[in-house]
Amino acid sequence: MRIRRAAAAVAIGAATIALASCGAPSYDVEAIDLGEPGEVTAAGTTLAFDEPAWIEADVYRGEPGDDPVTEVVGFTVRDIIEREPSVWEQFGNSEEFEGDVPWAIIVQQTFTGEPFEAESWVEGADVDTESVWPLLENGDSAELLYIEFQDDDAIQEACGISFPSYDAETNTAMRCLLAAAPEGQKVVGALYDSTSAGGLSVPTLPGQEPENPYLEQPLVWQ
């Protein structure tokens, strides 16, 4: 399996995260209650980790080719966690990341529309709010690594972080994004500009329809 720095999808196989053998599962990062939907968050807002932004997003629930549904989605960065360079060893092109340190960015989305069917989410729901861009402590951007995962277990194995799978009762999903930062630099924040690492959405400029105000004034979690 391979991982790329570009916005190209590369599938990896399923893997299993070991959980506690009895009682409630124990996770590295838990889902949180984002509260009731609020007003759409203004472009240029700076937020703390766990603080939600409410964003209008296109959500695809049907078959490929079906039109998306626009709904308000609660979105937040839960945590940014430094990983060991050994994370790269699971990928066939690990030599490309020599000298880079992997960072796991944990994001949470809470939907306000109809819940997904479990099978649909595992296969990969197409949601425009999936990507945030990693920010280094010197103000530059780290590289976001986009991978197409087959299921929730695989994405958790790739990041080395465990978190709950999609919960239809709370309509909440969590994702982990991998960033590559030069050794000695820390990923301290994340930026949302309504663009997608996987090329799933085409951003529009202010003044165009539909308008994307976040492109020039992104949301920032730090």
Side-chain angles (χ1 to χ4, degrees), residues 152-202:
D152 285 344
D153 285 341
I155 194 171
Q156 294 184 47
E157 181 73 8
C159 285
I161 304 289
S162 65
F163 47 84
S165 297
Y166 171 69
D167 185 343
E169 183 175 346
T170 61
N171 215 358
T172 292
M174 300 185 71
R175 277 289 183 267
C176 174
L177 306 174
L178 271 177
E183 190 172 359
Q185 285 284 342
K186 295 182 178 180
V187 178
V188 296
L191 175 153
Y192 170 78
D193 63 3
S194 192
T195 63
S196 169
L200 301 178
S201 60
V202 178

Side-chain angles (χ1 to χ4, degrees), residues 62-137:
E63 297 297 324
D66 287 354
D67 291 334
V69 176
T70 300
E71 68 180 62
V72 174
V73 178
F75 186 54
T76 194
V77 175
R78 289 284 289 107
D79 204 354
I80 298 177
I81 303 170
E82 182 178 0
R83 310 301 300 145
E84 293 295 328
S86 58
V87 164
W88 305 133
E89 296 174 4
Q90 64 188 303
F91 302 107
N93 56 331
S94 58
E95 70 282 354
E96 295 181 20
F97 301 95
E98 186 175 352
D100 289 334
V101 177
W103 291 77
I105 304 174
I106 312 298
V107 300
Q108 177 178 324
Q109 300 168 83
T110 298
F111 302 96
T112 57
E114 292 296 319
F116 296 90
E117 295 181 3
E119 294 79 8
S120 299
W121 185 260
V122 169
E123 291 171 1
D126 184 348
V127 183
D128 283 348
T129 60
E130 237 174 77
S131 292
V132 293
W133 304 94
L135 299 176
L136 297 170
E137 56 188 343

Side-chain angles (χ1 to χ4, degrees), residues 195-220:
T195 63
S196 169
L200 301 178
S201 60
V202 178
T204 54
L205 296 171
Q208 295 179 330
E209 292 294 338
E211 185 173 314
N212 174 16
Y214 301 113
L215 195 60
E216 293 188 348
Q217 300 182 74
L219 305 177
V220 176

